[in-house]
Amino acid sequence: MDSFINAVELVEKSNLHLPPLAVVRGLRKTAGHEDQLTLHFLGASNNLSVSEFNTTFFSFFDKAIHHVVTDHGEERGVVLTQDGTTVALAPLLLGIEVGLKAKTEGTPPLGMIPLTLAKNLGLSFLHLMDFPASQRLGPDGCWDSVVLPRVFRLSRLPTLATDALINGGMDGAILGMELAHQPSAERSNKLSDILRDYYIDGVKGHGLEGVSTHISPKRRENSRALLGPLDPQRQVMETLAMVWKLERTEWIHKDTGVKKAVRDGVLEFVHRYWDCPPVIPRCQWGAEAHKATPIPLSLPLPFLYIHHTYEPSQPCLTFQQCSRDMRAMQLFHQDVRGWDDIGYSFVVGSNGYLYEGRGWLHRGRHTRDHSSIGYGVAFIGDYSSSVPSRHSLELVRHHLVKCAVDKGRLAANYTIHGHRQVVNTTCPGDALFSEIKSWENFREPSSM
């Protein structure tokens, strides 16, 4: 993302007269995004001059924006952002263009949801309608390097709505809506500034505590607040109907399985991208391989064990810092304690993300004699005399637990243990942590 923003900035510096709407339209023309739905809402861009984008920039932008998945599972047209997530540029830029067009013309941001999310979601639901809903979205993948990322390879066969496309769609909708309704005096006149202000990695103090601005680490909660009230199922159905009409394939709408496919798909989307927390996979934080064959868990589990790392003692506030902490803990657990892998199931940073340890399916090494019957979740930092930030707590309280229970990984009537502090709850998520009053001696056991 940094390379893309820098390239946009060079174009802006060479053409000071270009408003951001002209820049983003030039990018659309470069990438050849002229399908019927885009033309319907945004019009043709071929009447725009893109001579400002010289041959070098044209080639760069074409490769950066044009989205495709190769036969070898490489997803192109995606970028790695500072916070460790992967974003497709095409839906991001379409959302920004809708917002800028609405602001410039003084009209509603028509086409925002269809162009950023609804079309990709709807087509993916229908393309795989004979498969379980859980297989109709995603997947995520791994970069060859997080320092010099060049190749992004998907973890399994792709759908028509990969994680990167959905991330880009959520970001495009958030930024587009913000641009459409933001007072002109508060809006930057540069596309590069708009992107740079949104894609940040970490904030000062207690992480995301109290942050009210729209930034990428909060894309899931912000997109839910923005799009949830708009009835996503209706948006997807209306978008499909429009696509069929524009492409003169309205006969498809007569298929009686369409509504069910969309309903089930939207429920899966809401669960996966709004209910569940954002998790940085092992490959992104640089995990070493498990030293033996991972032992599968017998699901659902009746317990959730809450830890703090004690060491590292400071909360991590950036993707780079959290990744270093994860690698340091894995090294300590493997080389000093002699375990096969990092002990925890998941680890919670203060930058808005969880980090995958042993994950949902494999037994950890986190709670002496109890690791086979519960998940172990650790907050990075020493919380002997304080508690993690509210935002970090809520990632576990409102999202991780709900994700686990709804997917049958954690029993509905589970028990949570925080070393000497114990909470029983039959209301997953809502009451979590409400009775943990003291975190004294809240340390990782010396032997597990």
Side-chain angles (χ1 to χ4, degrees):
M1 179 61 83
D2 287 343
S3 297
F4 179 76
I5 294 174
N6 290 337
V8 170
E9 189 172 36
L10 287 174
V11 170
E12 293 169 334
K13 288 181 177 179
S14 300
N15 304 273
L16 298 178
H17 66 285
L18 281 180
L21 180 57
V23 173
V24 78
R25 280 178 171 168
L27 292 172
R28 173 159 63 95
K29 180 177 180 179
T30 300
H33 291 157
E34 300 292 329
D35 61 84
Q36 293 298 317
L37 192 68
T38 302
L39 292 174
H40 176 79
F41 287 113
L42 295 175
S45 61
N46 55 14
N47 61 333
L48 299 170
S49 172
V50 290
S51 59
E52 295 86 357
F53 300 172
N54 59 33
T55 304
T56 302
F57 282 132
F58 187 94
S59 177
F60 173 81
F61 287 135
D62 178 48
K63 292 179 180 179
I65 302 171
H66 186 71
H67 184 268
V68 64
V69 178
T70 71
D71 293 338
H72 302 292
E74 294 179 12
E75 187 173 14
R76 300 174 181 175
V78 300
V79 295
L80 177 65
T81 66
Q82 285 189 10
D83 61 13
T85 55
T86 302
V87 171
L89 290 171
L92 165 67
L93 295 173
L94 287 174
I96 291 175
E97 184 176 349
V98 171
L100 291 172
K101 180 176 183 291
K103 186 65 179 180
T104 301
E105 299 176 356
T107 57
L110 299 177
M112 180 66 72
I113 310 305
L115 292 176
T116 56
L117 281 170
K119 178 183 176 182
N120 287 333
L121 290 177
L123 294 180
S124 193
F125 299 155
L126 298 189
H127 179 67
L128 298 171
M129 64 188 302
D130 294 330
F131 289 77
S134 60
Q135 298 179 24
R136 298 181 206 166
L137 296 173
D140 201 355
C142 295
W143 287 92
D144 57 338
S145 168
V146 295
V147 179
L148 293 172
R150 295 182 181 277
V151 177
F152 184 70
R153 193 177 301 277
L154 294 169
S155 60
R156 59 173 173 81
L157 292 176
T159 69
L160 298 181
T162 64
D163 280 11
L165 277 170
I166 291 175
N167 285 339
M170 288 190 286
D171 290 347
I174 292 167
L175 283 172
M177 287 294 194
E178 184 179 73
L179 291 167
H181 298 105
Q182 193 177 50
S184 298
E186 298 179 9
R187 178 164 46 87
S188 171
N189 61 354
K190 294 182 178 180
L191 176 62
S192 58
D193 288 340
I194 294 170
L195 294 173
R196 190 170 285 120
D197 289 344
Y198 182 78
Y199 289 104
I200 68 169
D201 181 24
V203 291
K204 297 179 180 179
H206 296 285
L208 299 179
E209 193 80 3
V211 175
S212 58
T213 55
H214 288 160
I215 55 177
S216 56
K218 300 182 71 173
R219 68 165 57 86
R220 293 195 177 199
E221 57 197 275
N222 287 335
S223 64
R224 181 171 204 154
L226 176 70
L227 306 178
L230 300 180
D231 189 353
Q233 183 176 333
R234 178 179 60 82
Q235 294 280 348
V236 171
M237 285 298 301
E238 290 179 354
T239 299
L240 288 174
M242 180 172 290
V243 169
W244 293 327
K245 182 176 181 179
L246 293 171
E247 296 180 353
R248 298 181 181 181
T249 54
E250 293 179 89
W251 59 270
I252 298 178
H253 191 266
K254 298 179 181 179
D255 191 324
T256 57
V258 169
K259 289 186 177 180
K260 183 180 186 305
V262 170
R263 181 181 68 251
D264 293 346
V266 168
L267 288 175
E268 177 64 21
F269 165 78
V270 169
H271 171 75
R272 185 182 301 190
Y273 299 99
W274 287 350
D275 290 341
C276 291
V279 178
I280 301 295
R282 293 169 61 92
C283 60
Q284 288 295 90
W285 59 262
E288 295 292 334
H290 197 284
K291 289 188 175 182
T293 302
I295 300 174
L297 289 165
S298 180
L299 305 178
L301 304 182
F303 296 99
L304 180 70
Y305 301 102
I306 303 297
H307 301 260
H308 69 167
T309 62
Y310 188 61
E311 288 291 342
S313 61
Q314 297 300 314
C316 66
L317 299 173
T318 68
F319 167 67
Q320 295 295 338
Q321 181 186 359
C322 293
S323 296
R324 286 195 299 269
D325 288 346
M326 292 295 292
R327 292 192 295 269
M329 284 187 286
Q330 185 186 40
L331 180 66
F332 177 71
H333 288 177
Q334 288 182 321
D335 290 2
V336 177
R337 292 191 170 172
W339 300 345
D340 295 333
D341 200 353
I342 189 171
Y344 306 116
S345 306
F346 296 95
V347 178
V348 188
S350 295
N351 64 334
Y353 293 96
L354 275 69
Y355 291 76
E356 181 186 20
R358 306 263 184 135
W360 293 116
L361 303 179
H362 299 126
R363 190 173 78 185
R365 195 78 182 269
H366 46 78
T367 311
R368 186 186 305 164
D369 300 327
H370 291 76
S371 296
S372 64
I373 58 174
Y375 291 114
V377 179
F379 290 83
I380 293 182
D382 177 8
Y383 297 105
S384 298
S385 58
S386 62
V387 296
S389 70
R390 179 167 296 278
H391 188 275
S392 297
L393 287 172
E394 289 180 352
L395 279 179
V396 177
R397 175 185 178 184
H398 294 305
H399 296 284
L400 184 70
V401 168
K402 180 174 177 56
C403 186
V405 172
D406 288 352
K407 280 298 184 181
R409 296 157 175 158
L410 192 65
N413 296 326
Y414 65 90
T415 302
I416 176 172
H417 290 264
H419 278 281
R420 297 183 181 179
Q421 298 76 37
V422 180
V423 175
N424 292 312
T425 176
T426 56
C427 187
D430 293 342
L432 195 63
F433 299 111
S434 63
E435 297 180 33
I436 297 182
K437 303 180 184 302
S438 171
W439 291 60
E440 294 180 2
N441 301 317
F442 191 67
R443 303 185 180 184
E444 179 183 6
S446 57
S447 176
M448 304 180 204

